[in-house]
RNA sequence: GUGCCUCUAGCUCAAUGGCAGAGCGCUGGUCUGUGGAACCAGUGGUUGCGGGUUCGAAUCCCGUGAGGCACCCCA
């Protein structure tokens, strides 16, 4: 310890901007959400992988567009290598597939849950280190792979009691065709995407103004606006788009992709109220090439819960050959934020299920033996470790931590061969023969599972 | 990365440029085989940090850190 650290310990050091500590209770909620997502992902046959947080900068460079690149953590390591913290889980997946393609069975379905880094200015639901929960299928052009992602998202979000999310669908090539049709110059297409992406937020007039301000011709802007505002039943909208963009091969391809996607969603039995076509949805990342989608929640206003899309060209950037792929990321912190704000999940405040109290120094043996028995039986049990051991203190400890059951085994119990069981929530207390403790506890904890009302 | 707002006890918040406070919490006790309540007592601070102006700064000014809002972008 330095003298400075010894002298001035009153002010704890801050964590870096946009980065956070998590207390046990917060971790329990995060873990619960991750668990539920994993369950859904695995139900569809996706398998876990992991990759390093740090990659060669060159692996990450040139994949996210100019804006994204600016937000990447990029530096030299001790060996002078140019390195970067991963910006998402998709580009590392592309590198992973390129590196391991002979060890993988295609189509390759994987999920990946872990932290990514973006040097953005933090705000609510926006951090510099945050977790993404990714599901991707590599090695197939089938729209079923895209449809599975939509279906998984709906189930995953429903599994954390967020059942009313609507997933917006669009297609990158449809946007492209639309811009071409309107006569927007190639170098202006990005400007147009950016403008129309704000349709919900700033309205048609706002979008028009933004396009005009960036030098888009009045007529082109109007054409774009007309198309982008088409609403309604997806099949009908697509028929209308097809009619307006007739003869454009890109539009044809995009429309037939989306029709196929919709057909699979129908076959999967996905509730049609849970998704909608939104021709104004652009999505920023450069690497998308096909269908794109996004999960947005209105209240609380926290923006996008996840983004997804097909990126048939990305893996090819690491290999000669092109390998098609599609998938999406759910943003863990935003989902946690919504779940917390709307109190959608109730997780226990502690992992301990039982507190074994200690009568006095002569009774450590029984207490520890009891605890070990319970542990062997799969019950999370802790022994009171405080130095002042009056019962009041021990019960108070269990109460404050939210441990639902306390056990007593003092002289009285020992003499009679019983254990006293106290249920903290109701205050109900009774004695059971020592031999029946395990079944009693199992029954108790089954009635009162981890989740509290 | 740009602009604006905020930061006072563990938490929520008071204090006109003039003695830094309250509620909750926490600790101890009433109460050594039993939590939540009540009552009593106690504990609380480099006013984010550094500098400046001033007789005097939580308050005004500059810088800096963190949080938030809007842009940008996005999970």
């Amino acid at each position: 310890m330095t003298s400075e650290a010894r002298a001035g310990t009153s002010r704890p050091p801050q964590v870096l901007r946009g980065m956070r500590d998590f207390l046990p209770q917060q971790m329990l909620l995060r873990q619960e959400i991750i668990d539920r997502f994993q369950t859904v992902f695995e139900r569809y046959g996706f398998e876990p992988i992991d990759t390093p947080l740090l990659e060669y900068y060159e692996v990450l460079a040139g994949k996210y567009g100019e804006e994204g690149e600016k937000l990447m953590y990029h530096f030299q390591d001790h060996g002078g290598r140019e390195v970067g913290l991963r910006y998402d889980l998709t580009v590392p997946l592309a590198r992973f597939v390129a590196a391991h393609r002979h060890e993988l069975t295609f189509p390759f379905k994987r999920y990946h849950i872990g932290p990514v880094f973006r040097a953005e200015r933090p705000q609510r639901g926006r951090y510099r280190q945050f977790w993404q929960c990714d599901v991707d299928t590599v090695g197939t052009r089938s729209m079923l792979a895209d449809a599975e992602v939509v279906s998984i998202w709906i189930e995953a979000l429903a599994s954390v009691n967020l059942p009313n999310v609507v997933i917006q669908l669009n297609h990158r090539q449809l946007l492209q065709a639309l811009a071409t049709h309107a006569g927007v110059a190639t170098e202006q297409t990005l400007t147009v995407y950016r403008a129309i992406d704000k349709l919900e937020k700033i309205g048609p007039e706002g979008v028009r103004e933004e396009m005009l301000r960036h030098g888009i011709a009045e007529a082109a802007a109007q054409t774009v606006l007309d198309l982008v505002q088409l609403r309604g039943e997806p099949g009908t909208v697509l028929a209308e788009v097809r009619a307006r963009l007739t003869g454009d091969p890109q539009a044809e391809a995009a429309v037939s992709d989306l029709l196929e996607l919709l057909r699979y969603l129908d076959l999967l039995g996905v509730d049609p109220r849970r998704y909608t076509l939104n021709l104004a949805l652009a999505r920023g990342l450069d690497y998308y090439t096909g269908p794109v989608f996004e999960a947005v929640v209105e209240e609380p206003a926290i923006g996008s819960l996840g983004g997804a899309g097909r990126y048939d060209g990305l893996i090819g950037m690491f290999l000669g050959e092109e390998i098609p792929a599609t998938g999406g990321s759910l943003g863990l912190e935003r989902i946690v934020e919504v779940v917390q704000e709307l109190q959608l999940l109730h997780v226990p405040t502690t992992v301990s299920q039982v507190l074994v109290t200690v009568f006095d120094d002569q009774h450590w043996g029984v207490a520890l033996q009891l605890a070990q028995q319970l542990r062997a039986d799969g019950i999370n049990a802790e022994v009171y470790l405080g130095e002042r051991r009056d019962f009041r203190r021990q019960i108070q400890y269990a109460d404050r931590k939210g441990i639902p059951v306390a056990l007593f085994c003092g002289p009285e119990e020992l003499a009679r061969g019983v254990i006293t069981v106290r249920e903290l929530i109701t205050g109900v207390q009774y004695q059971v023969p020592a031999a029946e403790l395990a079944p009693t506890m199992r029954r108790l904890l089954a009635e009162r599972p981890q989740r509290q009302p």
Side-chain angles (χ1 to χ4, degrees):
Chain A
M1 195 189 271
T2 66
S3 61
E4 195 180 316
R6 254 195 309 274
T9 50
S10 62
R11 213 173 328 287
Q14 288 178 304
V15 294
L16 241 26
R17 166 171 261 203
M19 310 211 169
R20 306 181 294 163
D21 291 326
F22 295 107
L23 294 166
Q25 288 200 26
Q26 300 172 294
M27 281 304 288
L28 289 173
L29 177 60
R30 289 170 72 84
Q31 281 177 351
E32 178 68 26
I33 292 172
I34 289 171
D35 275 359
R36 292 178 184 220
F37 283 1
Q38 268 176 339
T39 302
V40 175
F41 297 165
E42 290 180 6
R43 201 138 284 161
Y44 280 76
F46 289 78
E47 300 191 281
I49 69 160
D50 201 7
T51 68
L53 301 188
L54 212 53
E55 294 272 4
Y56 276 107
Y57 177 67
E58 126 191 16
V59 166
L60 308 174
K63 313 292 192 299
Y64 302 108
E66 214 178 305
E67 294 297 327
E69 200 99 6
K70 277 193 267 180
L71 302 178
M72 197 147 67
Y73 279 98
H74 171 200
F75 50 93
Q76 285 194 347
D77 75 0
H78 291 115
R81 284 172 282 257
E82 294 293 322
V83 298
L85 283 168
R86 66 188 184 197
Y87 181 90
D88 67 6
L89 300 176
T90 309
V91 169
L93 169 66
R95 191 220 20 98
F96 175 96
V97 169
H100 301 286
R101 69 185 182 287
H102 299 301
E103 302 159 74
L104 301 174
T105 306
F106 291 95
F108 175 57
K109 304 168 75 168
R110 80 91 176 84
Y111 71 86
H112 189 179
I113 296 173
V116 302
F117 301 85
R118 298 184 190 177
E120 285 194 282
R121 194 136 163 193
Q123 257 172 71
R124 184 186 185 190
R126 168 182 296 210
Y127 304 96
R128 291 188 167 185
Q129 175 178 340
F130 61 97
W131 282 49
Q132 292 196 320
C133 309
D134 275 39
V135 171
D136 290 80
T137 298
V138 176
T140 176
R141 299 196 134 78
S142 168
M143 284 298 129
L144 175 55
D146 302 73
E148 278 192 347
V149 176
V150 176
S151 179
I152 285 172
W153 269 17
I154 291 167
E155 281 183 41
L157 294 169
S159 81
V160 296
N161 299 332
L162 251 173
N164 294 321
V165 178
V166 175
I167 293 170
Q168 321 249 335
L169 307 171
N170 198 9
H171 198 295
R172 258 298 163 81
Q173 289 178 48
L174 200 53
L175 278 173
Q176 184 69 55
L178 193 151
T180 311
H181 171 74
V184 175
T186 323
E187 64 272 16
Q188 293 270 39
T189 52
L190 231 60
T191 310
V192 171
Y193 295 170
R194 268 204 275 271
I196 61 178
D197 204 37
K198 294 178 198 159
L199 183 61
E200 295 257 312
K201 201 168 189 175
I202 61 179
E205 278 319 302
V207 174
R208 182 200 311 278
E209 276 166 37
E210 176 153 344
M211 284 194 284
L212 296 183
R213 188 152 22 95
H214 286 93
I216 309 291
E218 180 102 40
Q222 189 57 50
T223 310
V224 168
L225 268 172
D226 284 347
L227 272 162
V228 137
Q229 286 184 90
L230 290 175
R231 282 295 126 83
E233 194 272 316
T236 320
V237 173
L238 285 177
E240 179 64 26
V241 169
R242 183 174 256 163
R244 294 205 198 180
L245 301 184
T246 180
D248 183 317
Q250 229 171 5
E252 285 296 327
V255 168
S256 75
D257 270 359
L258 287 174
L259 287 172
E260 203 183 330
L261 175 56
L262 291 168
R263 204 183 103 239
Y264 282 124
L265 287 177
D266 185 46
L267 290 175
L268 283 165
V270 175
D271 183 347
R273 290 169 302 184
R274 300 276 73 84
Y275 57 88
T276 177
L277 208 55
N278 176 7
L279 301 181
L281 175 69
R283 298 216 40 82
L285 296 176
D286 255 19
Y287 49 63
Y288 289 126
T289 56
V292 288
F293 37 105
E294 186 166 58
V296 186
V297 70
E298 305 282 318
E299 25 90 51
I302 207 158
S304 165
L305 296 184
R310 176 163 281 275
Y311 47 98
D312 287 344
L314 182 59
I315 299 171
M317 292 172 79
F318 294 104
L319 286 170
E321 62 186 305
E322 185 164 287
I323 299 181
T326 188
S329 327
L330 289 170
L332 183 65
E333 348 306 283
R334 289 187 181 177
I335 290 164
V336 169
E337 196 94 4
V338 174
V339 165
Q340 249 164 357
E341 168 111 3
L342 275 59
Q343 297 185 33
L344 301 176
L345 278 183
H346 297 276
V347 299
T349 54
T350 178
V351 297
S352 290
Q353 297 167 298
V354 179
L355 177 74
V356 179
T357 63
V358 183
F359 184 76
D360 63 17
D361 280 340
Q362 273 62 58
H363 290 75
W364 278 115
V366 264
L368 295 182
Q369 197 189 336
L370 250 180
Q372 290 296 68
Q373 268 172 21
L374 290 164
R375 290 165 184 158
D377 218 53
I379 291 166
N380 297 352
E382 65 174 298
V383 175
Y384 185 73
L385 290 175
E387 288 162 45
R388 293 182 61 179
R389 242 177 282 107
D390 50 291
F391 274 112
R392 176 188 178 76
R393 231 168 271 273
Q394 301 195 51
I395 290 293
Q396 210 164 59
Y397 172 83
D399 179 48
R400 286 186 188 170
K401 280 192 73 175
I403 302 173
V405 178
L407 300 182
F408 301 87
C409 191
E412 203 179 295
E413 285 85 357
L414 277 180
R416 299 181 45 203
V418 297
I419 310 289
T420 298
V421 177
R422 183 177 182 84
E423 299 179 28
L424 276 283
I425 293 159
T426 53
V428 172
Q429 184 167 317
Y430 45 86
Q431 300 190 326
V432 298
E436 280 170 37
L437 182 63
T440 304
M441 291 307 302
R442 268 197 298 271
R443 183 178 43 74
L444 238 182
L445 296 169
E447 283 170 10
R448 198 189 325 292
Q450 289 294 76
R451 242 142 269 130
Q452 287 164 14

